[in-house]
Amino acid sequence: MSVVVARTSGFCWGVRRAVDMVLAEIKKGRGPFLVFGPLVHNPQVLGALEERGVGMSMDPSDAEGGTLFIRTHGITLEERASVERPGVSVRDLTCPRVGRALALARSRSREGYEVVILGDEGHQEVRAIRSYAGGEKAFVISGPGDAEDLPRLSKPFLMTQTTQDSEVFEAVLEVMRRRFPALEWESTICESTGMRQNELRRLLPKADCVVVVGGRESANTARLASIAREAGLPVFQVESQDELDPKTLKGFRKVVLTAGASTPSWVIRRVRGRLLELQGENVGRALGAVRTMVLGNFHVLPAAVAMGAASAVVVGNAAWMPAILSGALALFALQGLHTVLEAGFSPTPGEERRAFVVRRRNPLTISYFSALALSVVLSAFLPPLWGAFLAGAVGLFAAYSLPLLHSSGAPPSGVRSVPGSRDLLFSSSWALLVCIVPYLTLGGPAGPPAVAIWSLQLVLLLMGRSLLLDLVDLQGDAMLGRDTIPLTLGRRRSEALFWTCAALPVILVAFGFARGLLPAPGLGSFAGSLWLAAGYRLLIRNPFPSELSARLAADGSLFAAGIVPFLASIIFEARVF
């Protein structure tokens, strides 16, 4: 099965603007927060905002202080008159495209036009437009048939709901021009809607079926499904990957995946990932095994061992391996336990990994604690200094992660609120346990400058890996309340930082080799930077990579940076165990 994802899928500009404004207000802390009606027609977005403390009410009088948001679909003139209340800060999140339609309806009504609105009569946006167009004096139609049934109009003006089908509008316009030669009109279909519909129509000839992702109340999502059905294709409209029917979908070879304007990127990625798992029994089983290993953090253990082995052949010796294994077990355990705690912090997981962890919390927790216990047992056979460093790592983990147990929905304060603190802690912990601490406790043939160069390039590579994952899901991280580096610096600066982290390890290792500080196998670490660069290019080409593919692209760099130097040491017999 091949899956083609429409690049225009997901948040439109108006929805992204509204969500960003809500998140900005949450950061200011001017609560309580309430939306007058649903902000958008998507259950995952509403659920994520509810976790952040944003409520919803159909009665603006429920707002008692704090901030009241006006939904993206706009509100009627009567509703607008009721939102102004003492002590309540009102933030209007009406989509500017809808706002333009409201202003146009009001101006044409005041000029004496009889406004005809092409749209869904019960939709909130249409209700708002009609109120601005004179209320009951305005007409709402849904297609050419309704246009034929309109009474005689002396001064008609035709406009549209912003999410209307452009081809339906053309058909209605043809009827209206024939019936009313003096007709004036303006299409108020937003550019995003038109682009989304046109792209889907271009992709339909390549498809056996179409999967449309979006809320059931979403008008633009329903419109996409209708366009696909009109082309004679089977259509599966779902809100999440859990609604996909494997038995039905396995019979199709070419699937087009598109999504409504209020569908978050993480939902699209999870649907795409689930579709890719349906590629035949053998492929699906293999993908399922890889998915379990990656989402359960089990790949961390061999990755840490590989990077530790590379450190041993470049700046250490074979005596490091017990310490490397102890450190790898500790990294696997602590990183896994942090994931479990973080999954509990977000009751409605936005990430695929969080959902995976929530469903398997108990067995995963047992495996992580077992790994930590084994790490402690191994440390008993190592110098006491190793045990002290290991205890320090566990203490640092407790200080950083255990506050999640007491979280009430808002991100914790302290060091966790510092942008990039998680990434920096992750990177430095790996460098410490797979290189610096083994060197301090067990020694090695390399001098401190060589160890410093090798450790620094490890930190930079690991930071690049974390930045790559953060860049893939800026939207999801913002919705979940994370303070990542890309959310603080912005995409362009973060991309520049990513390339710096990918390139500097190459420069550092090349410098160390040129100065005779590092042996030739150390040059094999270039593979990690090359993997990161290739992973970035592949993910950028795909607008909605699955979380599994993103983690393989990022974490594969750790395996490459560890395995290649180790193999090089054997091939060139530079320093063999």
Side-chain angles (χ1 to χ4, degrees):
M1 177 190 293
S2 65
V3 180
V4 178
V5 185
R7 299 189 71 87
T8 53
S9 300
F11 278 7
C12 67
W13 175 78
V15 171
R16 185 178 297 109
R17 167 185 174 272
V19 170
D20 287 347
M21 290 175 70
V22 171
L23 296 176
E25 290 298 318
I26 292 174
K27 279 196 170 185
K28 294 176 184 176
R30 298 171 183 171
F33 303 102
L34 192 69
V35 183
F36 182 13
L39 180 68
V40 295
H41 286 144
N42 184 273
Q44 290 92 348
V45 172
L46 299 181
L49 291 177
E50 186 178 4
E51 288 178 27
R52 303 292 305 279
V54 180
M56 189 272 286
S57 175
M58 299 305 295
D59 185 355
S61 65
D62 289 339
E64 299 178 356
T67 304
L68 177 66
F69 299 107
I70 294 177
R71 61 196 291 180
T72 55
H73 314 99
I75 56 177
T76 66
L77 287 170
E78 296 76 19
E79 290 168 337
R80 187 168 291 276
S82 67
V83 299
E84 299 294 341
R85 301 175 59 80
V88 177
S89 174
V90 178
R91 296 301 307 273
D92 191 349
L93 303 184
T94 302
C95 171
R97 303 292 187 268
V98 175
R100 177 178 173 276
L102 297 178
L104 181 65
R106 170 180 271 178
S107 66
R108 291 297 181 266
S109 176
R110 287 176 174 175
E111 292 168 5
Y113 285 93
E114 298 154 301
V115 179
V116 179
I117 308 160
L118 173 61
D120 305 318
E121 187 166 9
H123 194 278
Q124 174 64 21
E125 179 190 333
V126 175
R127 290 182 61 248
I129 294 174
R130 191 173 192 179
S131 76
Y132 278 74
E136 295 301 320
K137 297 179 182 179
F139 299 87
V140 178
I141 61 175
S142 61
D146 290 344
E148 293 281 9
D149 296 336
L150 285 171
R152 294 183 62 182
L153 303 175
S154 58
K155 196 177 181 181
F157 178 81
L158 174 66
M159 61 182 299
T160 65
Q161 182 180 352
T162 59
T163 55
Q164 188 54 240
D165 186 334
S166 56
E167 290 192 355
V168 173
F169 173 72
E170 292 298 330
V172 168
L173 183 60
E174 182 179 349
V175 173
M176 295 282 288
R177 278 174 164 172
R178 174 173 52 79
R179 289 200 59 202
F180 308 105
L183 173 74
E184 291 197 24
W185 58 273
E186 184 169 342
S187 172
T188 43
I189 298 174
C190 80
E191 298 91 335
S192 174
T193 296
M195 291 171 61
R196 200 179 303 261
Q197 294 174 0
N198 291 336
E199 183 185 20
L200 176 59
R201 288 188 171 101
R202 288 195 302 270
L203 294 174
L204 290 179
K206 306 175 183 178
D208 295 332
C209 75
V210 178
V211 175
V212 182
V213 190
R216 291 187 178 85
E217 302 299 320
S218 169
N220 70 87
T221 300
R223 212 86 65 199
L224 293 171
S226 177
I227 289 171
R229 289 191 187 98
E230 289 171 3
L233 291 172
V235 178
F236 303 91
Q237 185 174 341
V238 300
E239 288 189 342
S240 72
Q241 81 284 354
D242 295 330
E243 297 178 9
L244 295 172
D245 183 1
K247 292 182 180 179
T248 304
L249 286 164
K250 278 185 178 179
F252 298 103
R253 289 288 173 264
K254 298 177 182 178
V255 179
V256 166
L257 173 62
T258 186
S262 57
T263 306
S265 59
W266 76 76
V267 175
I268 301 171
R269 290 203 308 274
R270 289 171 69 174
V271 171
R272 178 178 180 271
R274 180 63 180 136
L275 287 171
L276 291 175
E277 289 180 8
L278 304 179
Q279 302 183 68
E281 186 175 348
N282 292 332
V283 175
R285 188 181 295 115
L287 279 175
V290 174
R291 179 174 176 271
T292 297
M293 175 172 285
V294 173
L295 299 185
N297 286 305
F298 293 103
H299 69 297
V300 169
L301 180 57
V305 170
M307 295 191 76
S311 298
V313 300
V314 174
V315 296
N317 53 48
W320 281 25
M321 289 315 295
I324 294 299
L325 183 55
S326 175
L329 285 165
L331 288 170
F332 163 64
L334 298 180
Q335 197 165 322
L337 288 171
H338 176 79
T339 303
V340 170
L341 290 172
E342 200 170 41
F345 163 62
S346 179
T348 306
E351 294 179 324
E352 185 179 2
R353 185 177 66 162
R354 287 191 176 196
F356 178 90
V357 170
V358 166
R359 290 194 299 268
R360 299 164 177 81
R361 187 191 310 272
N362 291 337
L364 287 175
T365 301
I366 291 172
S367 66
Y368 299 146
F369 272 116
S370 299
L372 185 59
L374 185 55
S375 174
V376 172
V377 170
L378 284 173
S379 69
F381 299 94
L382 295 166
L385 188 58
W386 173 266
F389 276 113
L390 185 62
V394 173
L396 187 60
F397 159 80
Y400 185 81
S401 299
L402 289 184
L404 287 170
L405 289 172
H406 308 291
S407 173
S408 59
S413 57
V415 67
R416 284 185 55 82
S417 65
V418 177
S421 59
R422 181 187 58 172
D423 298 340
L424 186 59
L425 180 63
F426 166 85
S427 304
S428 57
S429 297
W430 276 62
L432 281 167
L433 291 177
V434 303
C435 182
I436 297 174
V437 179
Y439 179 80
L440 293 176
T441 57
L442 299 170
V451 176
I453 290 174
W454 187 255
S455 300
L456 181 57
Q457 71 90 20
L458 288 178
V459 171
L460 290 167
L461 181 69
L462 288 156
M463 281 295 293
R465 169 262 181 202
S466 297
L467 280 167
L468 179 57
L469 287 174
D470 291 341
L471 283 166
V472 167
D473 195 17
L474 284 167
Q475 185 185 109
D477 286 341
M479 291 290 290
L480 294 171
R482 288 176 174 167
D483 285 307
T484 64
I485 292 175
L487 286 176
T488 302
L489 298 182
R491 174 172 285 278
R492 292 186 63 181
R493 290 181 179 178
S494 297
E495 286 177 339
L497 182 59
F498 164 79
W499 286 112
T500 300
C501 289
L504 275 181
V506 175
I507 297 172
L508 285 170
V509 173
F511 171 79
F513 175 71
R515 296 298 300 269
L517 298 173
L518 298 176
L523 299 176
S525 65
F526 292 1
S529 292
L530 292 174
W531 188 289
L532 270 185
Y536 175 85
R537 292 298 184 190
L538 288 172
L539 293 178
I540 289 301
R541 290 177 187 172
N542 186 344
F544 300 101
S546 67
E547 186 170 350
L548 178 59
S549 61
R551 291 192 176 276
L552 288 174
D555 291 342
S557 64
L558 308 184
F559 284 95
I563 293 173
V564 175
F566 181 77
L567 292 178
S569 72
I570 297 175
I571 294 172
F572 295 108
E573 298 181 352
R575 187 173 295 164
V576 185
F577 289 171

